[in-house]
C-alpha cells in the first residue's frame, strides 16, 4: 500500500509555517547570534584587506535575519567599504521578507543587494552556462545543505569561488544533537523524496578531508521547546513534529507504531532533556569555517 506520508517540502506554505514556529520555539537564532558576536569578527578579520569593495554571497539566505547581522560585522571591520551582498534563495516569500527587512534597516547605505530567486544548484548551472565565475570574499551557507542533491560537489563548487583571503562558513545541526539521534534511527521511515537529505556537522570532516580542505569546527549549544508535541491535537505541536520529521501532517499520516516509537524517542536523553516541566530538544549546531 502506498504510504500517505508526504514530504513537508511538498507543501511550501506549511513548511514555512513550521520553520517559523521552530525559530520561535528554539534558541537557534540566539545561538547563531552569539557566534556572530563573539567568533565571526575573528573569522572575517582579513577577508577585505586592501580592498575597496567586499563581495559577500549568501547561499540560502532565507528572510535575511542572519545575513544582516553578518553584514554588520563586515561593516564594523571595514568601515565605509562598499559591500556587494548577493543572495541565492528559492523562496519568493522569504525574499520579500528579506527585502522588507532591508527597507527597514537604516545602516545599509554602503551595501548593494542582489537577490537570485533560485536554488544553489540553479545558480551553479547558470554561472557555468554563462561561463562566469565571480569570486567572493565571504560565502555563507546557513542551514541549507540538507536541500542540495550533491553535498560534496556543492561545497567544492562554492569553495572554488573564494578569493585568496576568503572564507566559507557553513552552519548545520551538530553531530551531537537530537537531530542526529532521531534521523540516524528513523530517517529511512520519513518520506524525504529527493527534496531533502539528512546531514550534520559530524558528516563534514570526512567530506572536507577527502577534498583536502582546511577548516575549523565550532559547536554551538541550542535547544527547542517541544513540550507541545506531547499534547494531543495541539496545532503548534503538530507543526513542530512536521518540522522534526520533514513530514507533512506527520501526526495524522504516520503509521501509529512509528508515531508511538518516535514520541518515545523524542523524550529520551539522546534527543531531549526535561527541565522545569518542559521537554527541551537538543538543537545544538555545528559551525564549519573553511579556508580558501
Amino acid at each position: 500500500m502506498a504510504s500517505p506520508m508526504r514530504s513537508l517540502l511538498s507543501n511550501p506554505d506549511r513548511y514555512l509555517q513550521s520553520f517559523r514556529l521552530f525559530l520561535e520555539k528554539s534558541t537557534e537564532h540566539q545561538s547563531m547570534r552569539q557566534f556572530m558576536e563573539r567568533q565571526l569578527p575573528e573569522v572575517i578579520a582579513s577577508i577585505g584587506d586592501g580592498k575597496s569593495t567586499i563581495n559577500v554571497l549568501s547561499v540560502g539566505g532565507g528572510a535575511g535575519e542572519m545575513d544582516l547581522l553578518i553584514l554588520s560585522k563586515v561593516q564594523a571591520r571595514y568601515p565605509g567599504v562598499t559591500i556587494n551582498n548577493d543572495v541565492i534563495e528559492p523562496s519568493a516569500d522569504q525574499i520579500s521578507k528579506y527585502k522588507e527587512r532591508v527597507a527597514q534597516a537604516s545602516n545599509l547605505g554602503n551595501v548593494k543587494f542582489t537577490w537570485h530567486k533560485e536554488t544553489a544548484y540553479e545558480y551553479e548551472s547558470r554561472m557555468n552556462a554563462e561561463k562566469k565565475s565571480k569570486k567572493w570574499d565571504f560565502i555563507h551557507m546557513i542551514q541549507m545543505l540538507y536541500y542540495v542533491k550533491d553535498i560534496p560537489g556543492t561545497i567544492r563548487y562554492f569553495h572554488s569561488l573564494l578569493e585568496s583571503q576568503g572564507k566559507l562558513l557553513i552552519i548545520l545541526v551538530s553531530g551531537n544533537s537530537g537531530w542526529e539521534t532521531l534521523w540516524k534511527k528513523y530517517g529511512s521511515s520519513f518520506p524525504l523524496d529527493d527534496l531533502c537529505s539528512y546531514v550534520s556537522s559530524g558528516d563534514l570532516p570526512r567530506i572536507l578531508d577527502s577534498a583536502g580542505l582546511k577548516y575549523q569546527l565550532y559547536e554551538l549549544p541550542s535547544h527547542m521547546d517541544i513540550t507541545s508535541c506531547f499534547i494531543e491535537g495541539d496545532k503548534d505541536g503538530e507543526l513542530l513534529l512536521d518540522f522534526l520529521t520533514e513530514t507533512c501532517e506527520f501526526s495524522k499520516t504516520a503509521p501509529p507504531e512509528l508515531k508511538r516509537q518516535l514520541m518515545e524517542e523524542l523524550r529520551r536523553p539522546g534527543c531531549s532533556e526535561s527541565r522545569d516541566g518542559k521537554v527541551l530538544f537538543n538543537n545544538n549546531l555545528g559551525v564549519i569555517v573553511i579556508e580558501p
Side-chain angles (χ1 to χ4, degrees), residues 274-286:
S274 295
R275 207 189 307 160
D276 306 328
K278 291 181 175 163
V279 184
L280 301 178
F281 183 80
N282 178 331
N283 185 54
N284 285 8
L285 301 167

Side-chain angles (χ1 to χ4, degrees), residues 38-56:
R38 293 176 183 174
Q39 276 104 357
L40 187 67
E42 189 189 336
V43 170
I44 61 169
S46 59
I47 60 167
D49 288 4
K51 298 189 171 223
S52 56
T53 305
I54 295 174
N55 296 310
V56 177

Side-chain angles (χ1 to χ4, degrees), residues 180-200:
E180 186 84 353
T181 310
L182 196 64
W183 279 80
K184 287 282 189 276
K185 198 160 183 178
Y186 293 103
S188 59
S189 307
F190 302 149
L192 277 189
D193 304 336
D194 54 356
L195 297 171
C196 175
S197 62
Y198 177 73
V199 59
S200 75

Side-chain angles (χ1 to χ4, degrees), residues 26-258:
S26 73
T27 60
E28 169 104 352
H29 275 177
Q30 291 90 307
S31 302
M32 287 186 197
R33 269 189 207 101
Q34 212 165 44
F35 175 84
M36 304 304 178
E37 296 293 347
R38 293 176 183 174
Q39 276 104 357
L40 187 67
E42 189 189 336
V43 170
I44 61 169
S46 59
I47 60 167
D49 288 4
K51 298 189 171 223
S52 56
T53 305
I54 295 174
N55 296 310
V56 177
L57 180 62
S58 162
V59 187
E65 297 99 327
M66 289 302 122
D67 288 24
L68 295 197
L69 184 53
I70 289 170
L71 290 170
S72 73
K73 298 299 164 198
V74 177
Q75 287 175 311
R77 174 67 187 87
Y78 296 102
V81 167
T82 299
I83 301 168
N84 291 321
N85 186 70
D86 279 40
V87 182
I88 299 169
E89 170 55 56
S91 162
D93 192 55
Q94 291 285 68
I95 288 177
S96 85
K97 292 251 180 327
Y98 195 137
K99 289 179 174 174
E100 280 168 31
R101 192 167 259 117
V102 169
Q104 287 158 9
S106 55
N107 50 351
L108 296 170
N110 60 331
V111 186
K112 295 184 180 133
F113 288 88
T114 308
W115 286 272
H116 306 277
K117 187 190 169 302
E118 56 193 348
T119 64
Y121 178 71
E122 286 163 350
Y123 176 86
E124 180 181 343
S125 307
R126 185 168 61 83
M127 288 297 133
N128 288 337
E130 294 172 9
K131 305 260 187 294
K132 285 182 185 161
S133 61
K134 184 170 163 61
K135 296 282 186 184
W136 303 90
D137 301 300
F138 190 60
I139 300 175
H140 54 89
M141 314 170 88
I142 297 177
Q143 292 288 45
M144 59 69 66
L145 277 177
Y146 321 106
Y147 309 111
V148 305
K149 281 199 174 62
D150 175 5
I151 292 167
T154 300
I155 294 173
R156 278 197 307 272
Y157 171 72
F158 285 102
H159 179 266
S160 75
L161 305 181
L162 286 178
E163 290 278 18
S164 58
Q165 297 284 327
K167 294 279 166 75
L168 171 57
L169 174 101
I170 295 173
I171 302 184
L172 283 172
V173 297
S174 162
N176 307 313
S177 68
W179 295 99
E180 186 84 353
T181 310
L182 196 64
W183 279 80
K184 287 282 189 276
K185 198 160 183 178
Y186 293 103
S188 59
S189 307
F190 302 149
L192 277 189
D193 304 336
D194 54 356
L195 297 171
C196 175
S197 62
Y198 177 73
V199 59
S200 75
S201 65
D203 300 312
L204 254 55
R206 186 177 44 82
I207 293 170
L208 300 177
D209 291 344
S210 69
L213 300 178
K214 289 215 301 273
Y215 56 91
Q216 287 97 35
L217 283 168
Y218 305 81
E219 180 89 3
L220 313 184
S222 174
H223 61 77
M224 161 169 54
D225 183 348
I226 59 166
T227 317
S228 61
C229 294
F230 300 95
I231 303 166
E232 196 62 44
D234 185 283
K235 288 279 170 278
D236 281 0
E238 289 178 358
L239 274 171
L240 288 177
L241 272 176
D242 284 12
F243 193 74
L244 284 162
T245 60
E246 286 283 342
T247 303
C248 191
E249 304 273 12
F250 178 83
S251 304
K252 296 187 172 78
T253 62
E257 185 55 20
L258 173 64

